[in-house]
Amino acid sequence: MSKKSEGKLLAQNKKASHDYFIEDTFEAGLVLTGTEIKSLRGGRSNISDAFCTIRNGEAFVNNMHISPFEQGNRSNPSDPTRARKLLLKREQIHKLLGLAKQQGYTIVPLKVYIRNGFAKLLIGLAKGKKQYDKRESDAKRDAQRDIQRALREKQKVAR
């Protein structure tokens, strides 16, 4: 079910991997109105505070900020953080709804990108990290960085 983004990356939620354990990912289409796609292609979006909800069997992303397009006309949306509908298959929505009702699980947006001319949102089923988990993952990342640095230094000396 999980898919990787092949298209142009427009926005990324770097805070999500720090705050959550990402269990599963889904690719969803975005329903955009007016000139939002032009603004999105220009890189004028932010998903760091965004979250996903499921209402009446439909998935929505809330607090995703897409700035109004400067050369826009009257079809420019007035609210940059409005709820935008996500295009998912019914089975995916039921799976997300069932798992999101479990304690500690939430649905977070991870990346916004363009694939085959369409705006896509990579959402993740995530479980919240405790403070000690965050410290542990930071320590692992620092240790891995030190190992890579030592290997590079060793390769420079060998040449």
Side-chain angles (χ1 to χ4, degrees):
M1 282 251 167
S2 69
K3 299 178 182 178
K4 296 289 180 188
S5 65
E6 298 169 356
K8 179 185 174 195
L9 184 66
L10 302 174
Q12 188 171 8
N13 189 356
K14 294 180 180 178
K15 196 169 70 168
S17 62
H18 182 263
D19 292 339
Y20 301 100
F21 293 113
I22 307 299
E23 307 264 332
D24 198 4
T25 59
F26 298 90
E27 182 182 61
L30 278 168
V31 176
L32 302 173
T33 60
T35 54
E36 284 182 328
I37 188 67
K38 289 186 176 193
S39 187
L40 200 61
R41 285 181 190 270
R44 298 175 44 84
S45 63
N46 185 2
I47 61 169
S48 61
D49 295 329
F51 61 96
C52 297
T53 57
I54 297 176
R55 294 188 306 257
N56 300 329
E58 295 179 336
F60 294 91
V61 62
N62 300 305
N63 271 3
M64 179 178 162
H65 189 278
I66 298 177
S67 299
F69 189 59
E70 289 106 14
Q71 291 85 28
N73 53 14
R74 62 183 165 188
S75 68
N76 233 1
S78 59
D79 184 17
T81 59
R82 69 178 181 83
R84 292 170 178 88
K85 187 176 177 181
L86 296 177
L87 302 173
L88 287 166
K89 294 185 177 178
R90 185 168 295 162
E91 296 82 31
Q92 292 175 328
I93 292 175
H94 288 310
K95 182 177 180 182
L96 282 171
L97 183 61
L99 291 172
K101 282 186 177 179
Q102 293 180 9
Q103 187 172 5
Y105 282 97
T106 186
I107 306 166
V108 293
L110 303 173
K111 295 179 184 179
V112 177
Y113 53 92
I114 301 288
R115 178 185 286 176
N116 299 334
F118 295 102
K120 302 287 183 178
L121 179 70
L122 187 70
I123 58 175
L125 185 67
K127 191 171 183 90
K129 282 186 182 179
K130 304 283 186 208
Q131 187 65 35
Y132 57 85
D133 291 329
K134 292 179 189 178
R135 280 192 218 109
E136 183 180 319
S137 57
D138 286 345
K140 282 182 185 176
R141 187 182 65 238
D142 290 343
Q144 191 65 29
R145 193 177 299 146
D146 291 341
I147 291 169
Q148 292 298 325
R149 188 177 300 130
L151 286 174
R152 271 186 266 133
E153 291 296 323
K154 195 171 189 177
Q155 287 177 350
K156 285 182 183 178
V157 172
R159 289 183 191 172

